[in-house]
Amino acid sequence: MRFLLRTLSLSYVRRHKAKTLLTLLGVVVGVATFSSIESAKGTLVKGIRSTVDRVAGKAQLQITMEGGVPEEVQEQVRSLPGIRATSPVIEQIVSTEKGELGSLMVIGIDLLGDREMRDYGFEGDDADLDDPLLFLAQPDSAIFTRQFAEKADLKIGGGIALKIPKGMKRVTTRGLLTPKGFSEAFGGNLMVMDVYAAQDLFGRGRRFDRLDVRLTEETSIAQGTATLEKALGPAYRVETPGKRGEQIEKIVANFIAGFNISSGFALAIGIFLIFNVFNVAVNRRRRDIGTLRALGATPRQVQLLFLSEALVIGIVGGLLGTLVGTTVSQAFLQIMGQTTETMYGVTSSGVVRLPPVIVLESMLLGVGTSLIGAWGPALTASRIPPTEAFAKGAFQARPPGRSVVRITAGVVALGSTILMALRPPFGGNSFIFTELLLGGVGIVLLVGPLSRLLLICLVPLVTRFAPVAGRLSGDALLGNARRTSGTIMAMALSLTFVLGLGGYMGSTKKALDRWMLDALTCDLFVRASANFNRPDFLFPGGLRDELLQLPGVKSVESFRATRPLYQGHQIQVTSIEISQLLERMKYDFTQGDKGLMLRGLTQEGKCVVSDNFSRRYKLGVGQQVELTAPGGKVRFTIAAVVRDYGSDQGTVLMDRTQFLRYWQDDRVDIYDVSVLPGANVAQVRDLIRAKLAGRYPALVSTRQEFIAEITKAIDAFYALTRVTLFLALLVAFLGIVTALLISVAERTREIGILKALGAFPSQLARSIILEALLLALVGLVLALPSGNLFAAFMEGPLAELFTGWIMPHFYPWEILVQLLIALPLISAFAAWVPARQAGRLKITESIEYE
Amino acid sequence: MSIKRSCGNNAIGIVTAALLSALCAAMAWGADARALLKESENRHRTKTQQYAGNLTVVNKDGKVRKKGWKSFRQGYAGDARNLIRFTDPPEVKGVGFLSISRSAGQNPDQWLYLPSMKRERRIATQDRDASFVGTDFNYEDMEEFDHEKYKVALQGEQTVEGYACYVIAATPRESGGQSVYEKKILYLRKDILYLLREDLYQKGDRQPSKLFTLSDLQNVDGHWAAKKWEMTNINKESKTTVVLKEIVFDKPQPAGRFTLQNLNREGGD
């Protein structure tokens, strides 16, 4: 086998370097996409978990509460039996004046008593706290990890400005920590400050983000939890750091899940690219195979030869792909981290370290993809009888057999996919996997016959406009059905992915745009936090009256959002002055109406739920939602169900009076300000800014600015998905180039004869460009229905499974137009090298070819 | 046989007598230790005390940090109330510390006031072993020593800095509140019954982890006062020295001085 590889395979590679390189590139791109997404994703999730674990230190339990844990709870908890120590914590992610340093996690802890909780000291080699009293006495005191200080060029006494809700705030380095244990959290991008200074800096009032608890040796976690839950009541969440990490991980699960689909598609497209290359290689080397068989090689040896070649390409491609993936994964992680921070308020920082498992998976995928792609062609090669192998051209011209069975099987598979999507027999990941597998099989089976049918229809049409080039390209495409269907398969899959995912993104964006136009109808939004999901600062409730007194202000509504757990999921509970809200906002009701909502919320103490909440928890008008308020469980009857895109886990909306009554917390996230008719919005904004200056952080945005900010956040959410779309197109582009190069090489003799008969190089070049255009066009035509189906699947069953939303379908006309413009250009570009190659072929050499 | 029994009886008798005398001696020593400590307390008890302190912390690398404070005390030992206000350097000026003794069995209430935050923070029992603002004293060291919270035993006599001293072992009583220390060895100067040294053993220590020495004794207004305190942390190889100046005894203190309101008052002492 080694001899065969060295002589036959290596000589083939030497003669077809470009094709081999392109095949390799296909594997590299597929594996790189997979490994970079997987390693970035893994690092993000691991980072989130590890940050929770490391920051928790020796804490066995953590107490949290929506809106923060009041200070006095610490004293209450300290006096309970079984409690060894408690320590308050405030956590905030900020950025610095030096953007290149990345996000910085600020941890506010009580340095007086935190040693019970976290392993560090401020003496010796581990850490250096210049003066503990000075540290406590000065609220700008900060301790950085040595790693971060080195990056930021910070020395003891040196300062750095942080971007915080109140604006830029300069902090002074008064200590350094060696990055180990606790200080390794958040990839070492960590700043420690006094918890009470953090309270002030981040507007937490007299509340902590959580209380870390350490139990006495004789107290078990279960006993400790029971004691705390009994003493604190249902409004407090008592959980182990591990459980809390899981919970945070759950929040970003939907975002992460989307990338599994991208990885899967990148690999599937890669498989078809390799399949195509090997398929053509088998055809090209039929004479070699015939010779081998005539010399006594067994069919198994022939099959093994091709599989060995695939194995080598898989190993090399896997290795290179893993390396490339590692280099781009850091950028992916940064994009992912920024998105999860903006959208969910959680993130992690650090350097992507490729875990051995992902290296192994990537290598296996590279090898597996190559072997799967080469398996069919290798089997075909092994079955070629020597007599047929020497009969030139007979095989290439033979269309693939048993079309009826294939088409029937394809229709059944695709039909089952659609039926299952309409009525899912089961849920979860197995449903998604089954759908994608069945859909993929259906498309694979149908693309070959359908593409042939389309080409048969298209070629005569094209020939009318370009008689010579059209006929030549048509013959080339129809003359080698296997190569053509393989290329179109890769193309169609790529375009299905692009149209489907792009269509889904477009539909989501349009739905959100419409909702924002209906929902965000006031003139000014006064916020304290730039982050939409993590309140960095909350306004006092009394500020509303001050804003109402400003000239030009018509009304002010106090919007407050909390994110409690409901049946294990983090939902959103929002409150606002409903009667005023309904005067300006248009709700899209799926159950109930405006009258029922107004009466229910303002007079009957009911709530409204979002359509995704209603679907996820199977609750509708008249049924009750049980929420946990500080005073205990409260049941709210549902007055109406409205379309709302505030939270992908569901939203419950209530009147502010109800929130104040049960939550006893008057703080406000956003003040929605409407101005009087004729009043100048810009002037009112200036008045608000002047009113709040020096007192509170205030981001005052106009309606347009606020909508633009949310749109920007949504765009950021899909930024990485767009990158995967581009990669999918790149793989498809490689497919076309490879197919055309093979086509030219295969027809060398034919091209030589054509030239001898008087064909111009330009005519030959045109035929190859036309071939590329036809491949792209057929791929696109086939991808139109499959892309639409894929988009519908994403917008419907998949979105419902993860979020409860069913997105209205909008056809991605923009993407289609973009493809219609870009594809001919890309195809023509892909054909450029093969066309030049064909034009340069010398007649004598070409005729002597083979 | 009878001789043997007789010898045996004698031996038992001797051992018993020795054990009894040892027990009686131990009881007598114990009683003496308590009496000595009571006597010491009676002799040195003052209604109030105030002084200005110069604090110097030298770490193992020789790095020196200096601070100035004013201290006010009312009461003594088990009924003491203490207020410390930092005066120097300017960055820490106004930082206050208030300690108020509570009834037996309870640790004192302690608060630290930070003017930049304009609020006090309570020192929890769990934090009693934390360093007092970066010095070698911990929050428990900042309490007045109250022998009633300890089981005490006289262990002998020893010369310290040229003075004959009683050596008394003090072990925290379980009913005396939580203590950072497992044992304290007190060295009480025989002639004036004034504490000259404490060897401080934390839990699990075979050797003292900290040494507290009082020196430069002077008689101020008829009361003995050590004008130099030194706390040496043997493990960390660091030392904190407090030099006392302007010592005044029995000066009436304002009624509200030892309250949280006063602690939180800007510029209040």
Side-chain angles (χ1 to χ4, degrees):
Chain A
M1 186 54 64
R2 204 177 291 170
F3 170 76
L4 289 177
L5 272 173
R6 212 170 36 237
T7 49
L8 281 173
S9 307
L10 210 59
S11 79
Y12 183 78
V13 168
R14 280 198 195 112
R15 277 181 287 139
H16 303 93
K17 281 179 196 146
K19 284 185 280 289
T20 312
L21 269 176
L22 285 170
T23 313
L24 198 63
L25 204 58
V27 183
V28 170
V29 173
V31 172
T33 311
F34 172 82
S35 71
S36 57
I37 288 177
E38 284 301 308
S39 48
K41 204 174 76 177
T43 309
L44 179 79
V45 172
K46 206 176 154 194
I48 290 172
R49 286 290 287 271
S50 127
T51 295
V52 171
D53 287 346
R54 286 181 194 283
V55 172
K58 287 180 263 182
Q60 290 151 303
L61 290 170
Q62 295 181 323
I63 302 169
T64 51
M65 184 200 186
E66 264 312 310
V69 180
E71 270 182 20
E72 56 273 19
V73 171
Q74 184 173 211
E75 286 300 316
Q76 189 190 346
V77 170
R78 272 175 180 163
S79 62
L80 291 172
I83 305 298
R84 174 175 165 165
T86 65
S87 188
V89 178
I90 283 178
E91 269 182 26
Q92 178 83 34
I93 291 163
V94 300
S95 53
T96 66
E97 58 185 336
K98 296 173 182 172
E100 69 276 10
L101 295 172
S103 298
L104 180 71
M105 182 180 236
V106 180
I107 301 184
I109 49 175
D110 185 355
L111 281 168
L112 294 180
D114 202 67
R115 289 186 313 161
E116 278 278 354
M117 219 55 80
R118 278 157 271 271
D119 272 325
Y120 57 83
F122 295 107
E123 307 88 19
D125 299 329
D126 282 358
D128 178 14
L129 183 61
D130 194 44
D131 185 341
L133 180 57
L134 187 62
F135 181 89
L136 288 172
Q138 296 297 317
D140 68 338
S141 301
I143 301 169
F144 292 100
T145 58
R146 290 185 199 279
Q147 187 184 333
F148 182 82
E150 207 169 289
K151 271 198 293 182
D153 197 20
L154 282 170
K155 306 253 176 336
I156 295 280
I160 188 167
L162 308 179
K163 287 179 193 165
I164 61 160
K166 286 180 177 174
M168 294 301 280
K169 168 81 183 173
R170 202 158 185 81
V171 291
T172 307
T173 314
R174 294 221 161 80
L176 295 170
L177 280 169
T178 298
K180 70 173 193 185
F182 155 68
S183 47
E184 266 186 318
F186 210 68
N189 270 22
L190 192 75
M191 179 186 127
V192 178
M193 68 184 304
D194 184 56
V195 72
Y196 296 98
Q199 268 184 337
D200 181 57
L201 198 64
F202 302 121
R204 300 293 203 271
R206 293 242 163 173
R207 285 168 188 260
F208 304 121
D209 288 354
R210 65 166 194 274
L211 269 184
D212 284 356
V213 177
R214 205 172 160 196
L215 304 169
T216 53
E217 276 173 22
E218 58 274 16
T219 310
S220 69
I221 301 278
Q223 285 170 329
T225 310
T227 307
L228 288 166
E229 283 179 343
K230 194 178 166 197
L232 298 173
Y236 291 86
R237 213 180 289 163
V238 181
E239 54 200 347
T240 60
K243 192 89 189 287
R244 197 172 144 257
E246 272 173 36
Q247 201 56 49
I248 296 174
E249 203 180 305
K250 253 189 194 176
I251 296 171
V252 296
N254 280 1
F255 173 69
I256 298 295
F259 292 106
N260 295 336
I261 295 173
S262 306
S263 295
F265 259 87
L267 279 169
I269 295 160
I271 288 177
F272 285 103
L273 183 67
I274 292 158
F275 166 81
N276 208 18
V277 172
F278 273 92
N279 198 18
V280 171
V282 168
N283 297 345
R284 296 246 340 116
R285 291 152 71 187
R286 287 175 72 80
R287 285 175 76 86
D288 294 348
I289 294 164
T291 312
L292 273 176
R293 293 294 310 278
L295 289 172
T298 61
R300 182 174 283 273
Q301 280 174 322
V302 172
Q303 191 184 5
L304 273 176
L305 175 71
F306 281 93
L307 289 178
S308 304
E309 285 178 18
L311 187 70
V312 172
I313 286 182
I315 291 170
V316 177
L319 262 176
L320 289 172
T322 311
L323 284 174
V324 174
T326 311
T327 51
V328 294
S329 56
Q330 191 64 44
F332 275 25
L333 175 68
Q334 206 172 341
I335 300 173
M336 281 183 184
Q338 279 166 359
T339 309
T340 53
E341 192 187 335
T342 312
M343 301 303 287
Y344 304 106
V346 288
T347 190
S348 78
S349 175
V351 178
V352 179
R353 285 189 187 91
L354 203 62
V357 178
I358 291 181
V359 174
L360 192 70
E361 278 177 6
S362 304
M363 289 299 297
L364 283 175
L365 275 167
V367 170
T369 310
S370 300
L371 288 178
I372 291 168
W375 185 266
L379 195 67
T380 312
S382 70
R383 285 175 183 166
I384 298 170
T387 44
E388 195 188 291
F390 290 112
K392 189 179 173 297
F395 181 77
Q396 283 92 333
R398 200 175 65 188
R402 283 180 282 182
S403 291
V404 179
V405 179
R406 186 177 171 157
I407 291 168
T408 313
V411 169
V412 169
L414 211 57
S416 312
T417 315
I418 296 166
L419 278 174
M420 268 181 65
L422 292 172
R423 289 183 174 216
F426 46 87
N429 285 333
S430 46
F431 165 68
I432 299 165
F433 179 75
T434 314
E435 278 288 277
L436 290 177
L437 187 72
L438 270 177
V441 168
I443 291 171
V444 166
L445 290 172
L446 290 174
V447 160
L450 286 176
S451 61
R452 189 168 176 79
L453 190 71
L454 276 169
L455 280 172
I456 289 168
C457 298
L458 281 170
V459 168
L461 284 171
V462 173
T463 311
R464 276 192 204 169
F465 299 101
V468 179
R471 190 157 294 149
L472 284 174
S473 57
D475 284 352
L477 290 170
L478 289 167
N480 197 327
R482 284 168 192 274
R483 186 191 71 221
T484 306
S485 69
T487 312
I488 291 175
M489 191 89 78
M491 194 74 203
L493 267 179
S494 301
L495 294 173
T496 299
F497 182 56
V498 172
L499 283 166
L501 207 56
Y504 166 72
M505 288 195 306
S507 294
T508 310
K509 206 166 166 298
K510 272 195 184 118
L512 287 171
D513 284 345
R514 283 190 183 182
W515 172 71
M516 282 192 288
L517 286 175
D518 288 342
L520 308 175
T521 48
C522 66
D523 299 302
L524 290 165
F525 295 86
V526 185
R527 291 176 295 150
S529 310
N531 194 292
F532 293 108
N533 266 302
R534 190 192 56 223
D536 295 337
F537 197 98
L538 293 166
F539 291 120
L543 190 62
R544 180 170 178 256
D545 292 337
E546 291 185 49
L547 294 176
L548 272 170
Q549 281 165 11
L550 290 173
V553 172
K554 180 186 160 199
S555 65
V556 179
E557 290 130 39
S558 328
F559 175 82
R560 178 72 196 276
T562 59
R563 288 161 191 83
L565 277 187
Y566 184 81
Q567 293 183 14
H569 297 276
Q570 195 178 45
I571 61 157
Q572 185 174 247
V573 173
T574 57
S575 64
I576 198 164
E577 289 83 356
I578 290 293
S579 50
Q580 288 178 28
L581 179 81
L582 284 177
E583 281 173 21
R584 62 171 175 86
M585 189 166 159
K586 276 193 289 176
Y587 269 116
D588 184 2
F589 288 90
T590 54
Q591 286 179 44
D593 55 38
K594 191 176 170 181
L596 281 175
M597 181 177 171
L598 181 65
R599 196 172 62 244
L601 270 66
T602 56
Q603 294 168 27
E604 296 162 359
K606 291 180 179 175
C607 72
V608 158
V609 297
S610 62
D611 55 339
N612 64 328
F613 182 93
S614 168
R615 246 180 243 117
R616 282 180 78 94
Y617 307 106
K618 299 186 172 45
L619 290 173
V621 168
Q623 288 175 295
Q624 288 191 322
V625 183
E626 189 180 78
L627 297 174
T628 309
K633 306 256 183 206
V634 190
R635 286 175 168 270
F636 293 92
T637 305
I638 299 171
V641 179
V642 296
R643 205 178 291 284
D644 183 284
Y645 295 105
S647 161
D648 62 1
Q649 300 296 313
T651 303
V652 177
L653 172 68
M654 63 183 71
D655 189 60
R656 184 159 168 81
T657 50
Q658 294 299 311
F659 185 81
L660 292 175
R661 182 178 163 199
Y662 292 109
W663 272 261
Q664 303 279 313
D665 181 356
D666 75 340
R667 292 175 300 164
V668 174
D669 285 283
I670 304 173
Y671 282 112
D672 293 358
V673 179
S674 299
V675 303
L676 287 165
N680 186 320
V681 175
Q683 277 176 1
V684 176
R685 168 152 77 171
D686 290 343
L687 287 172
I688 294 172
R689 280 180 176 157
K691 185 86 188 164
L692 303 181
R695 294 169 64 200
Y696 306 109
L699 301 163
V700 190
S701 321
T702 61
R703 182 175 178 238
Q704 290 77 12
E705 286 167 352
F706 194 55
I707 289 175
E709 269 183 67
I710 299 175
T711 309
K712 202 174 150 193
I714 297 164
D715 286 345
F717 185 83
Y718 289 126
L720 206 54
T721 314
R722 268 189 221 102
V723 175
T724 57
L725 287 184
F726 171 77
L727 287 172
L729 276 176
L730 179 69
V731 177
F733 170 74
L734 287 175
I736 295 180
V737 179
T738 318
L740 292 175
L741 276 174
I742 292 164
S743 169
V744 170
E746 275 199 323
R747 291 185 296 147
T748 306
R749 193 181 159 88
E750 185 188 313
I751 290 167
I753 293 168
L754 284 169
K755 276 190 162 182
L757 292 171
F760 297 117
S762 58
Q763 282 176 320
L764 293 170
R766 269 204 298 276
S767 79
I768 289 162
I769 290 170
L770 208 58
E771 204 179 317
L773 290 173
L774 279 169
L775 281 172
L777 182 66
V778 174
L780 180 63
V781 170
L782 290 174
L784 289 178
S786 56
N788 217 22
L789 276 176
F790 183 48
F793 170 66
M794 298 272 289
E795 290 151 10
L798 198 67
E800 191 183 358
L801 185 73
F802 283 104
T803 65
W805 282 322
I806 294 177
M807 294 291 176
H809 181 59
F810 298 100
Y811 195 82
W813 292 110
E814 286 167 24
I815 296 178
L816 187 61
V817 170
Q818 284 169 14
L819 283 176
L820 283 172
I821 297 167
L823 270 183
L825 294 173
I826 292 171
S827 309
F829 180 64
W832 180 65
V833 175
R836 255 182 65 172
Q837 198 177 326
R840 282 177 182 174
L841 282 174
K842 287 180 182 164
I843 296 170
T844 46
E845 283 175 16
S846 307
I847 293 172
E848 281 172 5
Y849 191 75
E850 294 189 41
Chain B
M1 188 73 159
S2 62
I3 294 169
K4 266 188 177 178
R5 189 190 286 171
S6 165
C7 287
N9 285 343
N10 281 346
I12 292 167
I14 290 163
V15 170
T16 309
L19 279 173
L20 274 170
S21 59
L23 192 66
C24 291
M27 285 168 73
W29 284 107
D32 282 348
R34 181 73 63 202
L36 288 168
L37 288 166
K38 272 188 180 167
E39 177 57 24
S40 168
E41 191 182 315
N42 288 338
R43 277 198 205 177
H44 303 293
R45 174 179 277 275
T46 52
K47 284 179 189 163
T48 66
Q49 183 203 35
Q50 67 182 64
Y51 66 86
N54 281 341
L55 175 89
T56 308
V57 183
V58 184
N59 73 5
K60 72 167 183 179
D61 301 322
K63 191 171 176 180
V64 179
R65 291 194 304 257
K66 290 191 173 185
K67 306 273 184 304
W69 76 37
K70 277 188 174 179
S71 170
F72 306 90
R73 171 173 60 74
Q74 191 168 46
Y76 196 83
D79 61 349
R81 287 188 284 175
N82 226 320
L83 173 74
I84 288 175
R85 187 76 72 176
F86 283 84
T87 53
D88 195 54
E91 294 90 344
V92 301
K93 191 177 174 183
V95 171
F97 172 72
L98 179 66
S99 178
I100 298 178
S101 297
R102 293 159 80 196
S103 55
Q106 289 178 298
N107 294 119
D109 280 325
Q110 295 180 320
W111 295 271
L112 190 70
Y113 170 76
L114 300 167
S116 55
M117 311 277 173
K118 292 185 171 47
R119 60 180 297 182
E120 87 288 347
R121 52 210 286 180
R122 193 181 154 86
I123 311 298
T125 306
Q126 68 182 47
D127 305 336
R128 283 158 59 78
D129 66 336
S131 158
F132 173 67
V133 297
T135 65
D136 292 296
F137 294 96
N138 57 37
Y139 285 90
E140 184 173 326
D141 298 331
M142 299 309 290
E143 296 166 13
E144 288 281 308
F145 179 76
D146 178 11
H147 68 84
E148 295 291 348
K149 290 182 177 175
Y150 295 81
K151 285 183 269 185
V152 291
L154 189 61
Q155 290 198 323
E157 293 177 10
Q158 198 177 313
T159 305
V160 175
E161 302 287 332
Y163 296 102
C165 292
Y166 294 113
V167 181
I168 298 169
T171 318
R173 288 181 199 267
E174 278 183 20
S175 57
Q178 285 181 34
S179 176
V180 173
Y181 299 109
E182 193 171 87
K183 186 172 71 175
K184 288 179 178 181
I185 303 292
L186 315 173
Y187 297 82
L188 210 59
R189 201 171 122 175
K190 280 180 86 172
D191 54 348
I192 54 170
L193 293 181
Y194 195 90
L195 187 70
L196 287 192
R197 192 172 111 188
E198 281 182 31
D199 294 351
L200 304 166
Y201 292 75
Q202 289 193 318
K203 285 178 179 118
D205 282 349
R206 288 190 172 185
Q207 296 295 322
S209 50
K210 294 206 295 187
L211 296 179
F212 180 49
T213 56
L214 297 107
S215 58
D216 194 8
L217 261 64
Q218 286 180 21
N219 199 302
V220 180
D221 303 332
H223 298 282
W224 285 103
K227 296 189 99 175
K228 189 178 176 189
W229 303 350
E230 224 168 53
M231 180 66 91
T232 308
N233 189 320
I234 296 165
N235 297 338
K236 280 164 49 180
E237 298 172 49
S238 56
K239 187 183 278 185
T240 300
T241 311
V242 184
V243 176
L244 283 67
K245 294 181 298 181
E246 302 161 28
I247 304 173
V248 179
F249 288 108
D250 295 332
K251 182 182 173 185
Q253 300 289 321
R257 172 160 276 169
F258 304 97
T259 58
L260 269 180
Q261 287 85 342
N262 181 56
L263 180 72
N264 287 340
R265 193 160 60 83
E266 197 72 33
D269 52 13

